[in-house]
C-alpha cells in the first residue's frame, strides 16, 4: 500500500518511537548523537529528544524519536527492539501510544525542513523554486528633522513588509506548486539607524520568501509506492483569509490562485512534539 508523506510536522503515533532503558553512563548529548546515527539509517528523522528518567525509575534516559514516514518507523522498531545498538545492554523500542485521543491540527514545516524533506525524496537537483514576484509593501512616512529638513534622519519607517509569490517545480513529475508569503517587521525607533533598517529589510525580505516556499510545499504530497518509487500529488489548499483588511489585501498583487496562510513572526513552526504537560504518554509495561 502506498504511503502519503505530507510537508507537515509528524504528530501521528505510528511515526513515533519510544526508546527506553538507555544507559545512564553517556550524557544526553552523546545519547542524542548515537540515537540519531542508528535510527537515521531507516529513514529521515524529524526529531530525536532525550529525557532523564523519572526519579522512581532509577538512573538512565529514555527518548522520543519522530520519523516522517510510518513505514520507516515500523522498520526501525522491528530492527532495534531488544538490541544493544550502541550500549552493552539491550534497549526497548515501541511505537508511541496515547492514553487519550488527541486531535492534532496539521502544522506546516518551515522552509528549511521542507527543503530537507524534498532533498531526501526528490534529490538535491530534483526540485527547484522560481520567484514570480517580490513586492515591497513597507509603510513609510516622511517627517522633517528638527531643522525642518526632510533628510534621511527624518524619514521614519513605520514598518517593513514584503510579499513574495513563487512556485516550486518538480520537473521529473511535471509538477508545479504556487505559494505566497508575507513578512512584516515593525520599526518604532529611529535610533536604530540606516544600517539596522537595511538589515531588517533584508531579513524581512528573506522571511517572506521562506514563508512562500513553505506555503508552496504544503500543497504537495509525497507518495511512496510499494515498489519504493516516488510520486508527487498536488492538492490545492482551501483558501484561508488572513487578518488583513480588504484595503490591505487590494494592495497585494494578485498572482494566479495562490492560497494565503497566516503565520506568526519568525521561521519556526509551532512545537507539536509530544508535550508531557498537555498529553500523557505511557511506555509499554516492562517485561
Amino acid at each position: 500500500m502506498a504511503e502519503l508523506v505530507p510537508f507537515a510536522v509528524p504528530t501521528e503515533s505510528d511515526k513515533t518511537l519510544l526508546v527506553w532503558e538507555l544507559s545512564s553512563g553517556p550524557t544526553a548529548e552523546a545519547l542524542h548523537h548515537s540515537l540519531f546515527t542508528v535510527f537515521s539509517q531507516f529513514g529521515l528523522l524529524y526529531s530525536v529528544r532525550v529525557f532523564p528518567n523519572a526519579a522512581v525509575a532509577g538512573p538512565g534516559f529514555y527518548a522520543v524519536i519522530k520519523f516522517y514516514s510510518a513505514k520507516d518507523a515500523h522498520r526501525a522498531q522491528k530492527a532495534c527492539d531488544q538490541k544493544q545498538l550502541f550500549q552493552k545492554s539491550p534497549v526497548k523500542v515501541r511505537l508511541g501510544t496515547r492514553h487519550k485521543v488527541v486531535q492534532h491540527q496539521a502544522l506546516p514545516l518551515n522552509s528549511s525542513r521542507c527543503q530537507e524533506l524534498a532533498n531526501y525524496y526528490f534529490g538535491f537537483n530534483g526540485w527547484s523554486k522560481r520567484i514570480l514576484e517580490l513586492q515591497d509593501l513597507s509603510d513609510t512616512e516622511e517627517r522633517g528633522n528638527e531643522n525642518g529638513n526632510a533628510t534621511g534622519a527624518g524619514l521614519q519607517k513605520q514598518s517593513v513588509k514584503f510579499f513574495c509569490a513563487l512556485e516550486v517545480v518538480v520537473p521529473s513529475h511535471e509538477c508545479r506548486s504556487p505559494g505566497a508569503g508575507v513578512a512584516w517587521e515593525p520599526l518604532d525607533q529611529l535610533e536604530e539607524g540606516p544600517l539596522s533598517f537595511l538589515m531588517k529589510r533584508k531579513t524581512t525580505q528573506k522571511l517572506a520568501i521562506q514563508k512562500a516556499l513553505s506555503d508552496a510545499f504544503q500543497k504537495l504530497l509525497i507518495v511512496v509506492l510499494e515498489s519504493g518509487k516516488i510520486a508527487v500529488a498536488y492538492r490545492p489548499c482551501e483558501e484561508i483569509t488572513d487578518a488583513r483588511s480588504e484595503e490591505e489585501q487590494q494592495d497585494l498583487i494578485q498572482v494566479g490562485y495562490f492560497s494565503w496562510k497566516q503565520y506568526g513572526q519568525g521561521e519556526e513552526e509551532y512545537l507539536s512534539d509530544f508535550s508531557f504537560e498537555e498529553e500523557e504518554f505511557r511506555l509499554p509495561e516492562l517485561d
Side-chain angles (χ1 to χ4, degrees), residues 49-236:
R49 302 175 66 189
V50 179
F51 304 91
N53 287 341
V56 294
F61 296 88
Y62 68 96
V64 177
I65 300 175
K66 284 189 175 186
F67 285 83
Y68 287 100
S69 163
K71 288 184 178 180
D72 292 343
H74 279 265
R75 289 193 303 110
Q77 189 275 326
K78 291 181 180 180
C80 297
D81 185 36
Q82 301 293 342
K83 299 296 193 302
Q84 292 181 339
L85 301 182
F86 47 81
Q87 61 183 37
K88 295 181 179 179
S89 58
V91 301
K92 294 188 176 181
V93 184
R94 297 289 188 275
L95 289 170
T97 58
R98 291 189 175 96
H99 276 302
K100 57 185 179 180
V101 177
V102 180
Q103 296 295 329
H104 282 283
Q105 180 184 4
L107 300 176
L109 294 174
N110 63 29
S111 64
S112 60
R113 292 277 195 171
C114 287
Q115 293 177 81
E116 180 183 42
L117 189 58
N119 289 339
Y120 182 81
Y121 283 102
F122 304 148
F124 288 97
N125 298 319
W127 67 277
S128 62
K129 72 174 184 289
R130 184 168 71 95
I131 295 178
L132 304 175
E133 184 72 23
L134 188 58
Q135 186 175 3
D136 187 351
L137 304 177
S138 301
D139 299 324
T140 62
E141 183 180 71
E142 285 192 6
R143 294 182 179 179
N145 60 13
E146 295 180 356
N147 298 326
N149 296 324
T151 62
L155 183 62
Q156 180 172 345
K157 294 286 183 178
Q158 296 175 325
S159 67
V160 177
K161 185 187 297 184
F162 276 91
F163 164 77
C164 178
L166 55 73
E167 65 176 2
V168 167
V169 182
V170 187
S172 59
H173 300 278
E174 299 181 350
C175 182
R176 295 174 180 269
S177 178
V182 174
W184 176 82
E185 177 71 21
L187 289 175
D188 298 326
Q189 297 181 356
L190 290 174
E191 290 79 8
E192 294 178 0
L195 180 58
S196 177
F197 166 72
L198 290 176
M199 291 298 296
K200 281 196 173 183
R201 189 176 187 277
K202 182 178 180 181
T203 300
T204 306
Q205 187 181 61
K206 181 179 179 181
L207 183 56
I209 296 173
Q210 291 172 339
K211 288 183 175 181
L213 183 60
S214 176
D215 184 56
F217 274 117
Q218 304 317 305
K219 303 179 183 73
L220 296 179
L221 272 176
I222 300 169
V223 184
V224 184
L225 305 176
E226 282 286 347
S227 62
K229 293 184 178 181
I230 303 299
V232 180
Y234 175 71
R235 48 166 193 175

Side-chain angles (χ1 to χ4, degrees), residues 20-38:
W20 73 103
E21 294 196 1
L22 294 171
S23 173
S24 60
T27 63
E29 292 76 12
L31 285 173
H32 181 280
H33 176 76
S34 298
L35 288 166
F36 184 89
T37 301
V38 170

